Amino acid sequence: MSRRIAVSVATGVVVLAGAGAFALAYAGDQPPALTHSTARYTAPAPAGAGDGSLSFTTDVTASSGVKSVKVLAWPANSSLAKKELTAKEMTAAEAATCKPSGKDTVHCTYTTTVAPTEAKTSPHGAWHIAVLAEARNGTTTLDTKAAGFTVR
């Protein structure tokens, strides 16, 4: 092999290795990704015969690992519809329970009971689930409308 070809090949290997290292470093800084988000609302039984429930599930993927997932249900016709939620506001929201479900993925569940008195005083109509996911590397993802449900 001529010296010119050898230098070209060596240069190409160095460039590709550098690009690969950059891509790997860049991938590590990616914010968490939410997938398969669903919400299910069950109204309380009539005449106060039992509580209802709200369940939310989502899968969160982060190459550095998932540190926390916070969940907040909010009515579509509230003041939050006019003023976007912020990550800072979401830090006070309730935490979901997450379990490993893949290499960099966790399956998270949030469940709460809905008492008959809560259902009567809650706004009826469309609701949204907001989610704040934080990765171990400090990056965050805020999805203010990760899932929805209807209160009747």
Side-chain angles (χ1 to χ4, degrees):
M1 172 174 357
S2 76
R3 181 169 164 83
R4 183 181 290 175
I5 293 173
V7 169
S8 294
V9 169
T11 303
V13 168
V14 169
V15 169
L16 288 175
F22 175 76
L24 218 65
Y26 181 73
D29 291 339
Q30 293 296 311
L34 301 165
T35 57
H36 310 295
S37 299
T38 59
R40 181 175 180 188
Y41 173 77
T42 303
D51 290 340
S53 65
L54 171 63
S55 296
F56 170 76
T57 61
T58 191
D59 292 329
V60 183
T61 302
S63 60
S64 67
V66 177
K67 182 177 179 182
S68 69
V69 176
K70 302 286 185 113
V71 178
L72 176 70
W74 59 279
N77 62 355
S78 70
S79 62
L80 292 177
K82 297 175 185 94
K83 177 188 102 60
E84 284 288 318
L85 275 169
T86 66
K88 185 177 180 182
E89 292 167 327
M90 284 292 296
T91 59
E94 294 186 46
T97 302
C98 300
K99 296 181 181 178
S101 67
K103 181 181 175 211
D104 298 325
T105 304
V106 293
H107 181 74
C108 301
T109 303
Y110 171 79
T111 303
T112 188
T113 58
V114 179
T117 54
E118 290 174 312
K120 283 181 185 176
T121 59
S122 294
H124 290 205
W127 283 62
H128 302 292
I129 301 283
V131 178
L132 175 65
E134 182 179 4
R136 293 205 184 279
N137 67 4
T139 58
T140 60
T141 294
L142 174 61
D143 186 346
T144 60
K145 295 178 182 175
F149 62 96
T150 303
V151 175
R152 297 187 177 145

